[in-house]
DNA sequence: ACGGTTAATACA
DNA sequence: TTGTATTAA
C-alpha cells in the first residue's frame, strides 16, 4: 500500500502506544479486586467456558493464550479469573472497550498528530513536539530526567547485567554528541513517557510504546518490552533489529503474503529479504507490493500518521457456529433486527457526539451448504445508501439480504440442478455503516442547493421517492434494478454531497476539537441554542417537520406521494435536519451544562414491547419455514417479498429515552465523547486522581509489588 | 464443526 | 463504484 518514498531528510518522531491486554485492564478498572490476579476476558461463556480474547500478563505466565477456551485456561491456571464480555441483544457488546479506548486517545491527542489505529493502539507523530523540546529544553541540558523515561529500553545499547538500571539510558538520552536524529528520539522518549504517565493517572490503564522514526519501526518496538514499558529505536539499531527478525513478525506479513515469501522465495527472516532486488520482488508481487517489501526490509516506511481520532466505519455482526447456524428466515430476520438496532444506536451516538453522518449500509452474510461436498459459502455482500432510524436500517438490511440470497441461489443453480435436497444455513450476519462524513454545522449549503435546483428538482424527487418505496437500491449486480439504482446515485448523491461539502470536515473537525483551550466549552457552545449561526437556521427549517424522535422522520419519508414535488424533497431534508435538532433540544432541558450533557446521552429505555427475546439464539430457532432446499428457495423469494411488504406496514414505534439524572455515576463517563471524557473524569474524581498520583513516579512499579492496585488498597 | 468481533486497506 | 480478500487486534 504505502508508495515508495525515501526517508525524509528531516527525521520524524513517531510513536505507537499499545494498551496492555486492554480488555482485561478495562475489566480490572471496573473490578479492582481483580488487579494483579491472573485474569482473562471471555465471550460466550456458555460453550467450554467461552473464547478468550484478552489475557492478563499474570495469566500468560501459566501458558494461557488467545486460542484457548475458558475451560482450557482453567486447567492451566485454576485460579484464573474469567470475566465475560457484556452481552446486549444476544451478542457481544464492545462499547465498554471502545469508549475506554477513546479515553486514551483523548489524552494522547494532546501532543502532536494522533491516529487511532485500533481499539487499543494509537500512533503519534511527535515530530513537532520533539523539535520544539530539542530547541527549548534539550535533554542534554536537563538536570533531571524522570524515572519513566530512564526506564526506556534503547535498542542497541548493551544492557550489561551489573550496570545500574537507567544508567546507560541516561547517558544515551543526554549525549551531547548524539546525532540530531537520536536527540529527537530522546525527546520523543521523554514526551511518550510523560504521556503514558498521564494515561495511567487519568485512566488507570498501563500501556507500552515504541518510539522510532517511522510507524513500522515504532510498531515493532512497542511489542518488544511489555507490559508497561517503552522502547526506542535509534537508526543505528535498525539493521540489528530487523535482520534476524522472522518476516512473519512484520506487520502485513503475518498471513498469506508472509507464507508465500517463505515458501516461494525461501525467505524466513527480514535479512533474507534483503538479498532480493526490488525488481525481483516486483516480479513476484507486483510493483507496489514489491517496492514496499524492498523498503520494509530496510526499515523504510513513509507511511504517515493520519490524524484521525474516530473510526471510519461502524459494524456489528455475529457468527452462528455449528448448531447455532440459522435455519429459518424468521431467525435471520430477527437477528438482523438486533444487529441493526445496535448499529443504529451507535450511528446515533456518533451523530450526537461527533456530528457525523454515515452514508452507506453494507450487509454481509455467510451461508453454509449442508449437503454437498464442497460446502461453498460465498455469499455476496451488498450495500445501499444508508437511511437513519433503526427500522429503516433494518428494512434495508433485509432487502440487501434478500438480494444477496437471490444472487447466491442463482449462482448455485447450475451446480444444484441434479441434487434435489440441498439445504442452506446462515453462519454469519453483519451490517456495517461506512462513508462517514462530518455533518455541516450550518445549513447554508443545503438551502443554496435547493434554490439552485428549482427547475429540475421535482423530477429528481420523483426518482428518489420511487426508489425509497420500491426498495430498488441494489448495486449493478442486482440486475433489473440497475438503471433505477444508478439514478439514485445520480440524483440523490448530489444532494448528499452538497450537504457534506462544508469546508469543516471529518479530520479537520476532530483536530480542531483539540486546538482550542477547552473542548467542553466548545462542545457546549455547539449545542447551545443561542448560538445563532446554526441553531436559528435549524429551528427555522424544522418548523414544518414533525418533531418526533429519531425514527419519527421515517413517516414523512415514507409518505406515498407518487407525484413528488420539490416540497417533498425539501421536507426530507427538514426531517433529516430535525433529527439533529431533536438531539439538541433534549440537551436543553437540564439546568446546568453537565446535567444537560448527561441527559443528551439518552440512556435507552428498556423497550418492554420488544417482540424479540434477545438473550439466546435458540429462541430464534422456532422452526417456521426452512431455508432449505433449492426448490423451496423459489418459494422463499416470495416469502421474503411478503415479509418485506409486511415490514413496510410495520408500525413505527418512536423510540423512547429515559433521562434520569439520578443514574449518573462514574461509569457513565465511558459513554462520553472522547474529547471530553478525561476532563469530566478530572472533575468527578479529584480524590482518586490525587491518590494514584502519589503512588510512584514510574509506571513499571505501579501495580507490581503490591498485589492490589491503588484503588483497592484504600478499601 | 466454534478463537469471535470489529476495523482498515488494497485490489479488481 | 462496489464487492472481495487479506490482515490485524
Amino acid at each position: 500500500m504505502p508508495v515508495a518514498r525515501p526517508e525524509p531528510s528531516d527525521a520524524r518522531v513517531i510513536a505507537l502506544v499499545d494498551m496492555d491486554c486492554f480488555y482485561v485492564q478495562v475489566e480490572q478498572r471496573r473490578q479492582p479486586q481483580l488487579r494483579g490476579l491472573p485474569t482473562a476476558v471471555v465471550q460466550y461463556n456458555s460453550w467450554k467456558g467461552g473464547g478468550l480474547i484478552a489475557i492478563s500478563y499474570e495469566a500468560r505466565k501459566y501458558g494461557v493464550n488467545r486460542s484457548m477456551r475458558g475451560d482450557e485456561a482453567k486447567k492451566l491456571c485454576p485460579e484464573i479469573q474469567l470475566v465475560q464480555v457484556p452481552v446486549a441483544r444476544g451478542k457481544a457488546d464492545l462499547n465498554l472497550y471502545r469508549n475506554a479506548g477513546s479515553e486514551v486517545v483523548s489524552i494522547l491527542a494532546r501532543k502532536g498528530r494522533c491516529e487511532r489505529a485500533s481499539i487499543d493502539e494509537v500512533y503519534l507523530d511527535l515530530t513537532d513536539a520533539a523539535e520544539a523540546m530539542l530547541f527549548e529544553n534539550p535533554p542534554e541540558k536537563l538536570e533531571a530526567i524522570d524515572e519513566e523515561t530512564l526506564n526506556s529500553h534503547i535498542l542497541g545499547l548493551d544492557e550489561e547485567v551489573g550496570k545500574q538500571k537507567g544508567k546507560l539510558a541516561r547517558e544515551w538520552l543526554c549525549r551531547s554528541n548524539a546525532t540530531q536524529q537520536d536527540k529527537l528520539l530522546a525527546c520523543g522518549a521523554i514526551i511518550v513517557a510523560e504521556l503514558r504517565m498521564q494515561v495511567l493517572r487519568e485512566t488507570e490503564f498501563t500501556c507500552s510504546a515504541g518510539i522510532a522514526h517511522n510507524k513500522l519501526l515504532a510498531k515493532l518496538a512497542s511489542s518488544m518490552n511489555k507490559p508497561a514499558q517503552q522502547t526506542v529505536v535509534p537508526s543505528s539499531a535498525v539493521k540489528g533489529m530487523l535482520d534476524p527478525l522472522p518476516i512473519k513478525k512484520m506487520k502485513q506479513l503475518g498471513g498469506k503474503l508472509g507464507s508465500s515469501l517463505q515458501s516461494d522465495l525461501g525467505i524466513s527472516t527480514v535479512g533474507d529479504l534483503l538479498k532480493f532486488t526490488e525488481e525481483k520482488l516486483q516480479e513476484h508481487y507486483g510493483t507496489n507490493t514489491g517496492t514496499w517489501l524492498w523498503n520494509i526490509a530496510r526499515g523504510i516506511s513513509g507511511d504517515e500518521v493520519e490524524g484521525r481520532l474516530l473510526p471510519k466505519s461502524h459494524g456489528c455482526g455475529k457468527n452462528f457456529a455449528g448448531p447455532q447456524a440459522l435455519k429459518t428466515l424468521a431467525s435471520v430476520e430477527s437477528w438482523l433486527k438486533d444487529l441493526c438496532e445496535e448499529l443504529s444506536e451507535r450511528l446515533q451516538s456518533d451523530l450526537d457526539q461527533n456530528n457525523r453522518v454515515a452514508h452507506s449500509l453494507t450487509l454481509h452474510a455467510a451461508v453454509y451448504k449442508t449437503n454437498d461436498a464442497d460446502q461453498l459459502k460465498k455469499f455476496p455482500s451488498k450495500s445501499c445508501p444508508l437511511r437513519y432510524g433503526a427500522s429503516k436500517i433494518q428494512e434495508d438490511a433485509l432487502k440487501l439480504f434478500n438480494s444477496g440470497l437471490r444472487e447466491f441461489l442463482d449462482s448455485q443453480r447450475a451446480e444444484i440442478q441434479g441434487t434435489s435436497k440441498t439445504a442452506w444455513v446462515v453462519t454469519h450476519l453483519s451490517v456495517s455503516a461506512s462513508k462517514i462524513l462530518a455533518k455541516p454545522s450550518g445549513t447554508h449549503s443545503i438551502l443554496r442547493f435547493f434554490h439552485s435546483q428549482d427547475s429540475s428538482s421535482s423530477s429528481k424527487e420523483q426518482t428518489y421517492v420511487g426508489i425509497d418505496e420500491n426498495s430498488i437500491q441494489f448495486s449493478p449486480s442486482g440486475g433489473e434494478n440497475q438503471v433505477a439504482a444508478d439514478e439514485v446515485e445520480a440524483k440523490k448523491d448530489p444532494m448528499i454531497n452538497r450537504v457534506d461539502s462544508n469546508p469543516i470536515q471529518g479530520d479537520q473537525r476532530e483536530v480542531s476539537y483539540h486546538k482550542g483551550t477547552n473542548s467542553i466549552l466548545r462542545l457546549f457552545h455547539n449545542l447551545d441554542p443561542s448560538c445563532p449561526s446554526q441553531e436559528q437556521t435549524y429551528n427555522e427549517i424544522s418548523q414544518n417537520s414533525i418533531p418526533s424522535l429519531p425514527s419519527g422522520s421515517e413517516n414523512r419519508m415514507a409518505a406515498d406521494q407518487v407525484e413528488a414535488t420539490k416540497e417533498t424533497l425539501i421536507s426530507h431534508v427538514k426531517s433529516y435536519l430535525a433529527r439533529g435538532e431533536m438531539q439538541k433540544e433534549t440537551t436543553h432541558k437540564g439546568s446546568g451544562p453537565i446535567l444537560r450533557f448527561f441527559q443528551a446521552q439518552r440512556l435507552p429505555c428498556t423497550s418492554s414491547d420488544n417482540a424479540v427475546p434477545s438473550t439466546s439464539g435458540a429462541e430464534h430457532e422456532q422452526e417456521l419455514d426452512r431455508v432449505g432446499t433449492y426448490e423451496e428457495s423459489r418459494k422463499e423469494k416470495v416469502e421474503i417479498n411478503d415479509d418485506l411488504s409486511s415490514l413496510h406496514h410495520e408500525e413505527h414505534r418512536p423510540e423512547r429515552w429515559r433521562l434520569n439524572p439520578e443514574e449518573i455515576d462514574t461509569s457513565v463517563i465511558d459513554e462520553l465523547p472522547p474529547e471530553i471524557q478525561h476532563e469530566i473524569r478530572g472533575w468527578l474524581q479529584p480524590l482518586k486522581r490525587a491518590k494514584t498520583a502519589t503512588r510512584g513516579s514510574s509506571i513499571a512499579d505501579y501495580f507490581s509489588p503490591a498485589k492490589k492496585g491503588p484503588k483497592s488498597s484504600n478499601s
Side-chain angles (χ1 to χ4, degrees), chain A residues 190-207:
Chain A
I190 292 170
I191 294 165
V192 170
E194 174 58 30
L195 285 172
R196 288 174 50 241
M197 286 301 295
Q198 286 184 37
V199 168
L200 180 56
R201 276 200 301 270
E202 299 175 32
T203 70
E204 303 178 25
F205 300 142
T206 69
C207 55

Side-chain angles (χ1 to χ4, degrees), chain A residues 698-714:
Chain A
S698 143
I699 294 178
D701 54 31
Y702 218 82
F703 296 120
S704 48
K707 269 287 191 176
K708 307 235 172 179
K711 220 175 155 188
S712 55
S713 62
N714 48 341

Side-chain angles (χ1 to χ4, degrees), chain A residues 136-175:
Chain A
E136 295 158 13
N137 205 6
E140 55 193 291
K141 296 268 172 56
L142 241 47
E143 67 289 344
I145 291 190
D146 70 286
E147 189 181 347
E148 192 51 42
T149 305
L150 291 178
N151 283 343
S152 298
H153 300 260
I154 317 289
L155 288 187
L157 275 200
D158 297 320
E159 303 216 28
E160 293 170 35
V161 205
K163 216 138 194 176
Q164 200 193 340
K165 210 176 16 172
K167 186 75 179 297
L168 277 169
R170 179 191 301 275
E171 283 172 21
W172 187 90
L173 290 162
C174 304
R175 266 155 62 233

Side-chain angles (χ1 to χ4, degrees), chain A residues 12 87 120 305 315 328 339 346 613 694:
Chain A
R12 296 178 293 158
V87 171
D120 68 344
V305 174
T328 69
L339 292 171
R346 284 165 59 192
T694 59

Side-chain angles (χ1 to χ4, degrees), chain A residues 318-582:
Chain A
K318 179 163 173 55
N319 289 343
F320 306 95
Q324 296 189 45
L326 306 183
K327 299 177 177 58
T328 69
L329 261 186
S331 63
V332 168
E333 198 171 323
S334 170
W335 278 106
L336 273 182
K337 175 174 187 286
D338 288 337
L339 292 171
C340 291
E341 278 176 2
E342 181 189 321
L343 182 62
S344 180
E345 275 180 13
R346 284 165 59 192
L347 286 173
Q348 198 59 51
S349 303
D350 203 350
L351 179 57
D352 296 343
Q353 298 177 7
N354 309 311
N355 258 289
R356 304 196 304 167
V357 181
H359 288 99
S360 178
L361 174 70
T362 304
L363 174 131
H364 190 89
V367 168
Y368 179 86
K369 190 164 73 171
T370 62
N371 137 319
D372 226 3
D374 60 329
Q375 290 151 347
L376 200 99
K377 37 181 170 183
K378 238 189 154 150
F379 192 97
S381 67
K382 292 286 163 197
S383 58
C384 70
L386 189 150
R387 303 180 296 162
Y388 271 65
S391 58
K392 291 267 179 203
I393 295 173
Q394 188 187 329
E395 187 182 322
D396 291 344
L398 195 56
K399 291 169 186 168
L400 292 175
F401 178 84
N402 179 20
S403 162
L405 180 61
R406 187 178 306 184
E407 196 177 300
F408 174 74
L409 292 175
D410 283 350
S411 77
Q412 295 300 309
R413 183 193 305 227
E415 304 178 22
I416 306 305
Q417 267 169 346
T419 65
S420 57
K421 285 284 193 240
T422 308
W424 310 90
V425 290
V426 174
T427 57
H428 172 84
L429 282 178
S430 73
V431 288
S432 62
S434 58
K435 299 198 176 104
I436 304 180
L437 300 172
K439 196 174 82 173
S441 52
T443 60
H444 301 331
S445 56
I446 297 169
L447 293 176
R448 231 183 296 121
F449 172 75
F450 285 110
H451 290 319
S452 70
Q453 293 293 316
D454 269 25
S455 55
S456 59
S457 59
S458 58
S459 63
K460 292 173 189 241
E461 161 63 9
Q462 194 160 13
T463 306
Y464 183 48
V465 169
I467 294 303
D468 248 3
E469 297 201 328
N470 298 333
S471 76
I472 305 170
Q473 34 198 307
F474 302 129
S475 50
S477 51
E480 69 272 22
N481 298 331
Q482 178 168 354
V483 173
D486 286 346
E487 277 193 289
V488 175
E489 290 316 303
K491 316 288 185 187
K492 183 185 174 184
D493 261 343
M495 176 181 87
I496 301 293
N497 287 340
R498 193 59 68 100
V499 169
D500 294 327
S501 68
N502 190 289
I504 300 172
Q505 246 180 10
D507 294 346
Q508 295 171 38
R509 267 190 57 90
E510 294 170 28
V511 169
S512 74
Y513 270 28
H514 298 276
K515 269 188 183 153
T517 51
N518 185 321
S519 57
I520 293 183
L521 287 184
R522 205 163 34 255
L523 187 128
F524 283 131
H525 179 73
N526 284 343
L527 297 177
D528 191 337
S530 65
C531 177
S533 61
Q534 49 178 289
E535 291 301 336
Q536 227 169 354
T537 320
Y538 273 131
N539 288 331
E540 211 179 280
I541 201 165
S542 61
Q543 252 176 358
N544 301 333
S545 57
I546 302 164
S548 51
L549 279 164
S551 59
S553 56
E554 299 162 359
N555 297 326
R556 288 186 69 82
M557 300 279 284
D560 49 349
Q561 291 102 348
V562 175
E563 35 97 57
T565 64
K566 174 185 162 194
E567 293 306 318
T568 331
L569 182 49
I570 288 180
S571 79
H572 288 184
V573 176
K574 287 178 178 176
S575 302
Y576 167 81
L577 294 172
R579 283 199 295 277
E581 180 60 22
M582 279 314 298

